[in-house]
């Protein structure tokens, strides 16, 4: 008798016999579509409102004790991409963020990003550099508090998230100047 092995990704879980995927949606940004100027950085030659988009997620796996959120541009002409948002220790009972979210009011932390600030930094690709992708990712974390601080470099936070996350879900929007 031949055995069939079914492997589910870590970003899915079984509920009442149905697979519920860990999923990220937004009222402000859509997968593969350009973002509005509202989400453009204010500085570095950009004049947007520098607001983070509204985000909602569902289907986090069992054992999730907190969330982290990152926004990353893999197309930045740096050789290492560009971190636009690094937030963690967001309580597990949070499942959405309003536009312009204040992570600290939720009990979470934000570390420095590649603009040299803490908090959200909107899109600001170089003029005529073509389309850039902005990957907004929500990470399901099995710990209430990660051993990271607001001074932990974004790349170290990213490394840590990749090593401990139960699951992650990503929504990728675009921006061009």
């Amino acid at each position: 008798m031949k055995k069939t092995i079914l492997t589910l990704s870590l970003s899915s879980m079984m509920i009442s016999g149905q697979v519920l995927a860990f999923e990220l949606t937004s009222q402000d940004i859509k997968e593969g579509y350009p973002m509005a100027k509202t989400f453009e950085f204010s500085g570095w030659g950009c004049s947007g409102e520098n607001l983070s988009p509204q985000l909602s997620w569902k289907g986090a796996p069992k054992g999730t004790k907190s969330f982290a959120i990152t926004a990353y541009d893999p197309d930045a002409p740096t050789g290492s991409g560009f971190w636009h948002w690094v937030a963690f220790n967001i309580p597990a009972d949070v499942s959405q963020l309003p536009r312009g979210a204040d992570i600290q009011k939720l009990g979470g932390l934000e570390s420095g990003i590649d603009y040299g600030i803490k908090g959200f930094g909107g899109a600001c690709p170089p003029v005529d550099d073509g389309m850039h992708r902005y990957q907004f990712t929500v990470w399901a974390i099995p710990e209430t508090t990660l051993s990271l601080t607001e001074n932990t470099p974004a790349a170290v936070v990213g490394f840590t998230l990749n090593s401990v996350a139960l699951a992650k879900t990503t929504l990728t929007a675009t921006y061009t100047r």
Side-chain angles (χ1 to χ4, degrees), residues 96-120:
Q96 63 180 338
L97 298 177
R99 180 185 297 178
D102 185 337
I103 298 298
Q104 289 183 349
K105 283 186 179 178
L106 298 172
L109 288 176
E110 294 171 300
S111 66
I113 57 172
D114 288 339
Y115 286 121
I117 62 171
K118 291 178 176 72
F120 178 77

Side-chain angles (χ1 to χ4, degrees), residues 3-133:
K3 287 187 178 181
T4 302
I5 298 173
L6 176 62
T7 303
L8 298 176
S9 73
L10 289 177
S11 63
S12 300
M13 57 189 247
M14 190 70 83
I15 295 182
S16 301
Q18 295 180 339
V19 174
L20 177 63
F22 187 29
E23 147 179 277
L24 174 61
T25 59
S26 175
Q27 296 169 359
D28 291 331
I29 58 175
K30 301 295 178 212
E31 181 69 32
Y33 285 87
M35 292 186 286
K37 189 169 178 80
T38 301
F39 311 109
E40 182 182 270
F41 191 62
S42 181
W44 286 38
C46 290
S47 59
E49 295 178 46
N50 198 45
L51 293 176
S52 61
Q54 182 279 334
L55 300 173
S56 300
W57 55 92
K58 64 181 179 179
K62 184 177 180 178
T64 299
K65 294 185 180 171
S66 69
F67 294 102
I69 298 173
T70 58
Y72 178 73
D73 173 3
D75 303 312
T78 63
S80 60
F82 199 92
W83 293 95
H84 287 266
W85 200 11
V86 180
F88 49 92
N89 298 344
I90 299 167
D93 62 351
V94 174
S95 61
Q96 63 180 338
L97 298 177
R99 180 185 297 178
D102 185 337
I103 298 298
Q104 289 183 349
K105 283 186 179 178
L106 298 172
L109 288 176
E110 294 171 300
S111 66
I113 57 172
D114 288 339
Y115 286 121
I117 62 171
K118 291 178 176 72
F120 178 77
C124 186
V127 173
D128 298 326
D129 197 47
M131 182 190 74
H132 283 231
R133 295 168 291 158

